Amino acid sequence: MTDMSSPILATREVRKEFRTADGVIAAVDGVSIELNGGDFVALHGPSGCGKSTLMLMAGALLSPDDGEVEIGGENPYQLGVERRAGFRSEHVGFVFQQFHLIPFLDVLDNVRVCELASKSSADLDIRARELLDKFQLSERLHHVPSTLSVGEQQRVALARALVQQPKLILADEPTGNLDAENAGIILQHLSGFAEAGGAVLMVTHDDRARSAASRSLELKQGKICS
Ligand code: ADP
Ligand code: MG
């Protein structure tokens, strides 16, 4: 992190509009949130209320029309596109409902895939193997994703998110495709990440997932309402 005294994630009055055939949609309409180390925050609200748009802006993937995003005190949108990509792979881990694993790479290479975007290191290989061991996947290192169960696939995606040792995890419905047991495993690892000093922002519709978080935010029509 560039600045240890700053929040891990801060958004200040961020806005994003989309122009569609039906007019302009204010997808996110002035949202300010702050996450510090130890925070595990659940974000919920009806479909279309702006959750994914907020996550993309928070993750340095989508530039806000207005307002500011800071990750560890740095505004990623002030960086050029290439440096922003490097900043993102160093500081933010993403987990999605659809796992977005690369089908032709084996488990180990899926976790090491960030080497393509940033400097490779021998440490990365060690960390990838350690994480896969911790997630009970060491027997599966050389299997491709289609041969794994959905629970295993999401653990690979979580290992990939953690391998660069980010301070921030952004998870968009990470348990949406999982049964209760596998959802529980993912939530436990996310809690552990926060307890170790990281910050997690997780979109979820699931009450069980929400209760695993330490704090809950509700979004309605692009605004935080509780
Ligand atoms: P949620 O994740 O809460 O379901 P989203 O953030 O995906 O909501 O979407 C918020 C609103 O913005 C919705 O009305 C959606 O249709 C619209 N929207 C999202 N992305 C785009 C886009 N790329 N182009 C046009 N409209 C979009
Ligand atoms: Mg969404």
Side-chain angles (χ1 to χ4, degrees):
M1 281 284 108
T2 44
D3 177 0
M4 296 304 289
S5 63
S6 300
I8 290 177
L9 170 67
T11 72
R12 298 198 189 88
E13 290 293 314
V14 285
R15 287 173 213 282
K16 189 76 193 177
E17 289 184 348
F18 293 111
R19 274 152 238 284
T20 68
D22 303 327
V24 177
I25 299 163
V28 173
D29 193 9
V31 169
S32 302
I33 57 177
E34 195 175 297
L35 272 72
N36 293 292
D39 285 342
F40 182 3
V41 176
L43 180 65
H44 65 108
S47 177
C49 71
K51 302 181 298 294
S52 293
T53 304
L54 177 61
M55 296 286 270
L56 293 174
M57 290 194 288
L61 282 165
L62 179 70
S63 163
D65 296 332
D66 205 359
E68 278 185 5
V69 173
E70 283 187 0
I71 298 170
E74 185 160 0
N75 181 340
Y77 298 105
Q78 284 172 351
L79 303 172
V81 172
E82 241 169 76
R83 281 185 57 210
R84 178 154 30 111
F87 177 89
R88 198 165 49 230
S89 81
E90 199 176 328
H91 296 302
V92 190
F94 294 93
V95 186
F96 301 95
Q97 178 171 4
Q98 320 292 347
F99 320 120
H100 296 307
L101 298 174
I102 299 175
F104 52 83
L105 294 182
D106 71 21
V107 161
L108 184 59
D109 280 343
N110 263 283
V111 174
R112 294 190 301 200
V113 76
C114 57
E115 276 182 321
L116 303 172
S118 69
K119 303 265 176 302
S120 78
S121 73
D123 290 350
L124 188 86
D125 184 67
I126 294 169
R127 271 204 310 279
R129 289 170 188 272
E130 280 172 357
L131 281 165
L132 288 166
D133 191 41
K134 177 175 168 190
F135 294 169
Q136 316 234 290
L137 288 163
S138 38
E139 309 285 297
R140 302 294 228 148
L141 295 187
H142 300 298
H143 294 227
V144 292
S146 61
T147 63
L148 306 182
S149 71
V150 289
E152 289 170 330
Q153 289 181 55
Q154 192 60 308
R155 298 208 297 282
V156 176
L158 187 58
R160 176 188 55 191
L162 294 171
V163 76
Q164 291 271 57
Q165 302 180 298
K167 279 293 201 179
L168 176 62
I169 294 283
L170 298 174
D172 200 342
E173 305 236 24
T175 61
N177 281 332
L178 304 183
D179 59 43
E181 186 187 347
N182 282 297
I185 294 170
I186 293 294
L187 293 169
Q188 215 178 354
H189 287 302
L190 290 174
S191 299
F193 174 80
E195 276 159 23
V200 180
L201 182 60
M202 172 180 71
V203 168
T204 185
H205 281 121
D206 171 6
D207 286 344
R208 234 181 65 132
R210 208 192 309 167
S211 64
S214 51
R215 186 147 69 83
S216 178
L217 294 172
E218 187 177 2
L219 204 58
K220 256 188 202 161
Q221 298 189 324
K223 289 182 159 66
I224 297 285
C225 61
S226 66

